[in-house]
Amino acid sequence: MESRKVGILGGGQLGRMVQEAASRLNISLTILDEPVDSPAKQVNAFQSHLQGSFKDPVKIRELAQQVDVITVEIEHVDTAVLKELEASGKSIHPTPATISLIQDKYLQKQHLAKYQIPLADSLDCPDQEAIEKAGQEFGYPFMLKAKTMAYDGKGNYVVKSQDDLKDARSKLAPGVPLYAERWAKFDRELAVMVVRSVTGEVRSYPVVETVHKNSICHLVFAPAQVGRGLTGTSDETFSTSIQERARKVAENAITSLSGAGVFGVEMFLMQDGQILLNEIAPRPHNSGHYTIEACHTSQYENHLRAILGLPLGSTAMKVQASGMLNILGAGDKTYEACELAYGIPGTTTHLYGKKECKAGRKMGHITVVGDSMQEVHDRLLPMVMAMDPKDESPFNLDPMVSIVMGSDSDLKVMEDAAKILTKMGVPFELSLVSAHRTPERMYHFGRMADKRGIKVIIAGAGGAAHLPGMVAALTPLPVIGVPVRGSTLDGVDSLHSIVQMPRGVPVATVAINNSTNAALLAVRMLGSFVPSYLDRMEKYQLQMEKEVQTKIATLDQVGWQKYEYIKH
């Protein structure tokens, strides 16, 4: 179908996965890399690959003579020769100008600032005086960073106090230009893969959370679990979800650059909910490995589609949740997690075929998919512990059910729902949202609930019981109303209020004060698309049956007179 030939600079694990996608699409991909058996070359040994450095201008020109389009799997390439080839008419993506800009992290930040991309403040540090000025301007700690040749935490140094200023320069590679950056006190690290076609079309993948260990990507969770705690606010910052804002920042950043392909955009989620862009990779990225198993079209296939002008594939997830674990060189323990993965459902192991296993070197990765993030966590945990029994990486969960009530006086009734959800292992949140006293909070809660990953809302209310109906009018999610018994009409007024919703605004309801049934109904709703919750529901029913059967046996054995005595 596609006769044009693609050449790629670099033959590591990213190139390997691009080659896998190219092979499926029958796209000719020629790899330029030094080793004859580099990870990417192993996938298609019948292809006439080039042996030589991907930085060698002579070899790059040789590659250009054999292919129609040149791309990269690593940004540390000779952009001067690429610019020369581009000027002669060769199609190169991303453009040499973009690669050159991204190679210098400080120039990258200056460029993005022109387009109002949110960033941490930075300062050029050509000499010791400038480093000291950064301490005065930013305070301590601050980051001192190499402008070029920095990756996986290499090229960064934390200046913790004035005492560190004297030796700060010597802590980084000699001769490398430096810049300083204000300390970003982030809550989470996020990433978004963005694909841009030569046609100009831009699509982004779901926002993921990345967990780093020793400055190297350790875990990735998709989608990012960042919905907890924002149950409603009048602050305009949260008029859109974190996921929406992060994708918008990433797409705007990539739109400001030239050229096509997949880009990895790393970001910080600050403690106040703001998004700051950290840096961009002009190629497929570690944080997008999960897309092979979890999305309709992987980042690697979309990279090829983008640079060739083929229709872009869907970036949406085709599973509810996914996680990725990097396999790093660790001596005899390197592949213990991979051995475990063979017996864990939903796992796919990718080994890169690297000959030398150095400490901390990326040797492979394992992708896990599941019907819920809880299931992904459960599947990942034994593999994470196999690599390091003391691993304390955070496993965050977004709430799937939101329990809200108009007053804290309703808590005694609504806590029964919380107990059921806890017993069933369903992540949930519980908060106050008053239809009458906090109408703006209720409005934002209703509008944002589905965007934060909530699947079912349980709303308790007494008296006029407006909360369930008002929330149902604001959200497309199912709402279960719990009529709370009041001091005057015993909750009948609340029950009547909930069941009298107008046509088109459905609210389910349960018996007065019966938040237990509301929670069980929520679990059944979740079970319609998360089989593990259906299994737990079935076990709960069997347990209820067992308890009744025990009572029947006891009653038959001792008779009703003694049974009453035992019961009381």
Side-chain angles (χ1 to χ4, degrees):
M1 289 176 61
E2 180 54 59
S3 60
R4 285 172 294 174
K5 296 180 179 180
V6 177
I8 186 167
L9 303 183
Q13 67 265 21
L14 299 175
R16 181 185 181 100
M17 287 176 270
V18 172
Q19 177 69 84
E20 290 172 347
S23 296
R24 283 190 297 98
L25 296 174
N26 201 31
I27 293 172
S28 172
L29 182 68
T30 302
I31 297 156
L32 172 58
D33 205 352
E34 196 78 54
V36 177
D37 59 350
S38 70
K41 291 178 181 178
Q42 295 171 20
V43 176
N44 187 356
F46 296 104
Q47 179 76 29
S48 298
H49 299 300
L50 288 180
Q51 185 178 3
S53 171
F54 52 74
K55 299 180 181 180
D56 184 344
V58 174
K59 286 294 182 180
I60 294 173
R61 290 191 185 96
E62 184 180 344
L63 176 68
Q65 292 175 354
Q66 299 181 17
V67 301
D68 300 292
V69 181
I70 293 177
T71 189
V72 300
E73 68 122 36
I74 185 169
E75 57 267 39
H76 306 304
V77 296
D78 187 333
T79 54
V81 69
L82 291 178
K83 288 177 181 177
E84 173 192 311
L85 291 168
E86 183 184 45
S88 69
K90 182 60 64 178
S91 179
I92 301 172
H93 293 287
T95 63
T98 289
I99 298 171
S100 181
L101 179 71
I102 288 176
Q103 283 177 339
D104 188 316
K105 294 181 185 292
Y106 185 62
L107 289 180
Q108 179 188 148
K109 297 293 176 73
Q110 288 186 308
H111 167 85
L112 294 171
K114 293 177 184 177
Y115 290 86
Q116 288 76 52
I117 304 299
L119 305 160
D121 296 331
S122 57
L123 183 69
D124 190 16
C125 290
D127 51 35
Q128 183 64 28
E129 183 179 348
I131 296 174
E132 293 175 3
K133 182 182 177 182
Q136 296 169 5
E137 187 168 326
F138 297 153
Y140 300 93
F142 71 88
M143 290 292 292
L144 189 62
K145 296 186 171 185
K147 292 182 179 179
T148 59
M149 299 302 293
Y151 61 97
D152 286 345
K154 298 173 183 176
N156 294 344
Y157 177 68
V158 181
V159 183
K160 298 177 182 177
S161 67
Q162 281 186 306
D163 296 337
D164 292 334
L165 287 173
K166 183 179 178 182
D167 299 325
R169 183 66 186 85
S170 64
K171 298 295 183 181
L172 298 170
V176 175
L178 304 178
Y179 74 104
E181 195 168 84
R182 188 184 298 277
W183 186 261
K185 195 172 183 180
F186 59 84
D187 182 64
R188 312 268 183 88
E189 293 184 81
L190 307 177
V192 177
M193 301 307 304
V194 179
V195 57
R196 184 184 191 189
S197 173
V198 292
T199 65
E201 182 183 2
V202 174
R203 293 187 183 186
S204 60
Y205 284 85
V207 183
V208 303
E209 179 180 359
T210 60
V211 178
H212 290 74
K213 196 174 179 182
N214 300 322
S215 299
I216 300 175
C217 182
H218 175 42
L219 292 161
V220 174
F221 296 105
Q225 302 294 283
V226 290
R228 183 174 292 278
L230 302 179
T231 54
T233 174
S234 58
D235 190 335
E236 290 183 3
T237 302
F238 303 116
S239 60
T240 54
S241 70
I242 289 172
Q243 287 89 341
E244 288 175 314
R245 288 188 286 119
R247 290 175 83 160
K248 189 67 175 175
V249 168
E251 289 176 7
N252 287 346
I254 300 311
T255 302
S256 77
L257 303 171
S258 59
V262 157
F263 298 79
V265 184
E266 297 181 89
M267 290 170 280
F268 297 131
L269 172 61
M270 305 303 286
Q271 293 179 342
D272 63 358
Q274 298 291 325
I275 302 288
L276 295 183
L277 190 147
N278 180 24
E279 60 186 41
I280 297 172
R283 52 171 171 76
H285 193 260
N286 197 166
S287 62
H289 288 345
Y290 79 97
T291 61
I292 298 174
E293 285 78 28
C295 295
H296 290 287
T297 313
S298 77
Q299 64 166 338
Y300 302 101
E301 180 174 332
N302 257 341
H303 181 73
L304 291 167
R305 292 190 187 203
I307 65 176
L308 291 170
L310 301 173
L312 295 182
S314 170
T315 56
M317 292 183 69
K318 58 185 179 183
V319 295
Q320 291 293 322
S322 179
M324 190 281 301
L325 170 65
N326 264 334
I327 304 300
L328 305 179
D332 295 338
K333 292 179 67 67
T334 300
Y335 297 112
E336 286 188 9
C338 300
E339 292 171 5
L340 276 177
Y342 288 123
I344 299 175
T347 64
T348 304
T349 301
H350 295 257
L351 297 179
Y352 303 150
K354 295 181 179 180
K355 303 302 180 185
E356 189 177 359
C357 183
K358 299 176 183 177
R361 191 182 192 193
K362 294 174 181 176
M363 303 302 293
H365 74 269
I366 298 171
T367 302
V368 178
V369 298
D371 294 317
S372 67
M373 190 56 77
Q374 179 67 67
E375 187 171 62
V376 168
H377 286 182
D378 292 343
R379 290 172 172 177
L380 266 175
L381 190 58
M383 294 182 286
V384 171
M385 291 294 103
M387 293 177 66
D388 180 3
K390 296 181 181 178
D391 196 305
E392 296 181 353
S393 298
F395 278 51
N396 299 304
L397 285 174
D398 272 353
M400 298 184 76
V401 177
S402 186
I403 303 174
V404 291
M405 64 204 85
S407 169
D408 59 354
S409 61
D410 301 334
L411 180 58
K412 188 169 181 59
V413 170
M414 302 303 291
E415 67 181 9
D416 289 337
K419 291 174 183 177
I420 288 291
L421 295 177
T422 300
K423 183 176 182 178
M424 294 288 194
V426 176
F428 69 93
E429 64 184 8
L430 188 152
S431 190
L432 299 178
V433 179
S434 173
H436 305 121
R437 293 180 285 270
T438 59
E440 284 188 78
R441 178 176 171 80
M442 180 200 65
Y443 177 84
H444 283 281
F445 166 77
R447 286 295 189 204
M448 297 298 296
D450 66 303
K451 297 177 178 61
R452 294 193 297 113
I454 300 297
K455 306 300 182 189
V456 184
I457 296 171
I458 300 173
H466 287 154
L467 182 62
M470 291 300 294
V471 170
L474 293 167
T475 182
L477 297 173
V479 177
I480 305 169
V482 179
V484 177
R485 178 176 288 117
S487 58
T488 307
L489 297 173
D490 287 334
V492 175
D493 51 341
S494 305
L495 176 62
H496 286 172
S497 177
I498 294 172
V499 300
Q500 288 298 317
M501 287 301 297
R503 184 175 299 149
V505 189
V507 180
T509 191
V510 291
I512 296 168
N513 276 13
N514 197 343
S515 71
T516 294
N517 271 3
L520 291 172
L521 182 55
V523 175
R524 291 184 180 209
M525 290 176 175
L526 297 176
S528 65
F529 61 92
V530 182
S532 59
Y533 291 135
L534 210 57
D535 292 340
R536 293 173 198 180
M537 190 70 234
E538 189 174 10
K539 289 176 182 176
Y540 179 86
Q541 290 175 294
L542 290 173
Q543 181 60 35
M544 283 197 302
E545 182 181 356
K546 185 178 178 180
E547 290 172 1
V548 174
Q549 292 289 1
T550 300
K551 292 177 182 178
I552 292 171
T554 303
L555 182 58
D556 289 343
Q557 183 179 0
V558 303
W560 65 271
Q561 298 94 337
K562 290 185 178 181
Y563 181 85
E564 284 293 319
Y565 177 78
I566 293 170
K567 187 172 71 171
H568 293 297

